[in-house]
Amino acid sequence: MITYDEDIERIPYEKTPISIKEQVQKLKSRGLIIDDEELAAQYLSNISYYRLRAYTYPFQNNVDPDKHHEFIRKDIHFMGIIDLYCFDRRLRILVFNALEKIEVALRAKITQRYSEATNDSHWYQDESLFKDDAYMKDGQKVFKYNTLMEDIEDEVDRSDEEFIKHYYFRYSEPEMPPSWMALEVVSFGSLSRLYDLLVKDDQKKAVAKELGLNKVDILENWMHALSNLHNCCAHHSRIWNRRFIVNMLLPTNADYPFLDRNTIATTKRNKLFAYLCCIKYILDIVSPDNNFYPNLQGLIAQGGSLLSLKDMGFPDNWRSLGIWKS
């Protein structure tokens, strides 16, 4: 449940629904230029006023109650907002496709490394491989490993993959499938938590090293951050101009080209540019022939008049920085 500041006075919500036509007129009254009201109504009926609000917000006065969301700039057109919305949608598709490749590669590397090292098909159920981290809930200590295993079991139970069905049809025990089956059907978030909870041993370091990362903390952070970005993309949430809840750790000693120290020091780590740098870094390793960069450049070129790369944390010289030079 979402918490709130008890010192802030809360009031009942009393706003009433308004028609699509009224939504168009409200936007016009606030200073948005609408050249074709019928076309605007069509867009609003398919996108929704509230979803589009995330794209008008940066151009509106959201502080002064007397000006109630008036557009600060007087040259903002409705179709410019639509261009920005479409850019964000296409960007999500590009990022989601890249994250799929990264997620699949991480599953394969973690599973293979630990399966071979332990010679145990069910190594993920070996509690000795995991840290004994815990948190308090309702006055009781809850171990993160136990919670993770419960979630993995639930995800396996919900799976309708044929290989999971075959396991239960063919084998009587163990109760759970081997790691190369079970970890194929868990979420990116669960995979991230699993890697995070593994003790910092040679195997965990080796997985990070396969990606040219010399600290497991970096890969732990990247998996956490990218799993959250994955959720944003999967739920069609805005990623343009978003401040993400996880700050990216940016390595200064990666084995492959990344960013120079001066750029790292000035990069906003909760903005999309930092995330895109990490995505491209991993993608160039696990999918060397990827076309992520040219596709990103193409999207930016067609982003529309309102697109500002600074809103996503891009520096002016980003194309000349180490990882983006190729």
Side-chain angles (χ1 to χ4, degrees):
M1 182 177 179
I2 296 175
T3 58
Y4 58 90
D5 189 339
E6 294 183 358
D7 294 331
I8 297 176
E9 182 181 359
R10 302 168 71 224
I11 59 175
Y13 187 88
E14 296 178 341
K15 295 181 180 180
T16 57
I18 61 175
S19 67
I20 298 291
K21 185 176 181 179
E22 289 171 322
Q23 292 171 20
V24 172
Q25 295 308 313
K26 177 177 282 192
L27 288 171
K28 286 188 68 175
S29 71
R30 290 175 173 173
L32 182 63
I33 300 171
I34 299 179
D35 300 304
D36 187 332
E37 293 187 14
E38 185 176 336
L39 181 61
Q42 183 178 344
Y43 272 109
L44 287 169
S45 68
N46 289 308
I47 297 175
S48 93
Y49 180 95
Y50 195 75
R51 174 175 284 272
L52 211 59
R53 166 82 168 120
Y55 303 90
T56 62
Y57 186 90
F59 307 105
Q60 294 176 275
N61 186 327
N62 303 295
V63 178
D64 188 346
D66 294 330
K67 295 188 177 180
H68 199 59
H69 304 319
E70 286 183 11
F71 280 80
I72 300 170
R73 286 174 49 179
K74 304 305 179 184
D75 62 339
I76 307 297
H77 287 254
F78 180 84
M79 290 310 298
I81 298 296
I82 293 299
D83 287 342
L84 200 55
Y85 171 84
C86 290
F87 164 79
D88 187 46
R89 180 176 59 80
R90 295 181 186 119
L91 182 62
R92 280 198 306 272
I93 294 171
L94 176 67
V95 169
F96 195 68
N97 180 61
L99 290 176
E100 177 190 349
K101 295 176 182 177
I102 291 171
E103 180 184 356
V104 168
L106 288 169
R107 290 179 194 278
K109 292 180 185 301
I110 294 170
T111 301
Q112 190 65 33
R113 175 67 59 174
Y114 278 87
S115 296
E116 284 193 42
T118 62
N119 195 31
D120 180 3
S121 60
H122 289 70
W123 59 266
Y124 68 97
Q125 293 187 299
D126 181 354
E127 195 169 348
S128 69
L129 297 176
F130 296 84
K131 295 178 283 190
D132 60 354
D133 290 3
Y135 60 93
M136 299 301 294
K137 182 178 181 182
D138 300 328
Q140 300 290 323
K141 181 183 283 190
V142 179
F143 287 95
K144 292 182 179 180
Y145 171 79
N146 293 337
T147 302
L148 173 64
M149 289 304 108
E150 290 173 3
D151 290 343
I152 289 177
E153 289 173 11
D154 287 343
E155 288 176 289
V156 169
D157 286 343
R158 291 197 301 270
S159 174
D160 61 356
E161 292 285 355
E162 288 300 323
F163 57 84
I164 296 292
K165 294 176 182 178
H166 174 75
Y167 177 81
Y168 286 114
F169 176 79
R170 184 69 178 82
Y171 302 101
S172 59
E173 58 182 33
E175 185 176 343
M176 288 287 288
S179 59
W180 48 84
M181 294 184 188
L183 298 189
E184 275 295 310
V185 298
V186 302
S187 68
F188 197 172
S190 292
L191 187 71
S192 168
R193 289 162 57 205
L194 180 141
Y195 184 77
D196 181 68
L197 279 175
L198 286 163
V199 295
K200 194 180 292 187
D201 60 9
D202 290 343
Q203 307 315 318
K204 188 170 186 177
K205 293 176 183 177
V207 172
K209 189 65 175 176
E210 284 191 62
L211 299 174
L213 300 175
N214 295 293
K215 293 183 179 179
V216 298
D217 310 53
I218 298 289
L219 185 54
E220 288 174 352
N221 168 262
W222 285 13
M223 290 181 69
H224 182 199
L226 296 182
S227 68
N228 284 335
L229 176 58
H230 180 278
N231 288 340
C232 286
C233 294
H235 294 94
H236 321 301
S237 299
R238 171 179 52 86
I239 61 174
W240 164 81
N241 195 26
R242 191 182 194 95
R243 290 180 176 85
F244 295 94
I245 61 174
V246 182
N247 288 335
M248 300 295 293
L249 295 179
L250 304 179
T252 56
N253 64 341
D255 291 348
Y256 305 103
F258 190 65
L259 298 174
D260 62 86
R261 288 177 180 268
N262 290 335
T263 300
I264 287 175
T266 58
T267 296
K268 295 180 179 179
R269 303 184 182 208
N270 65 343
K271 285 289 198 171
L272 187 64
F273 177 71
Y275 279 65
L276 294 178
C277 289
C278 300
I279 288 172
K280 187 175 187 298
Y281 178 87
I282 299 179
L283 207 56
D284 285 349
I285 296 169
V286 303
S287 180
D289 297 325
N290 73 82
N291 55 5
F292 183 74
Y293 183 33
N295 286 343
L296 177 62
Q297 288 184 302
L299 283 181
I300 290 172
Q302 299 175 10
S305 61
L306 298 180
L307 177 63
S308 169
L309 295 185
K310 287 185 178 180
D311 292 335
M312 299 184 288
F314 280 68
D316 292 335
N317 65 332
W318 71 277
R319 290 184 176 88
S320 65
L321 300 175
I323 193 171
W324 299 102
K325 282 183 180 179
S326 56

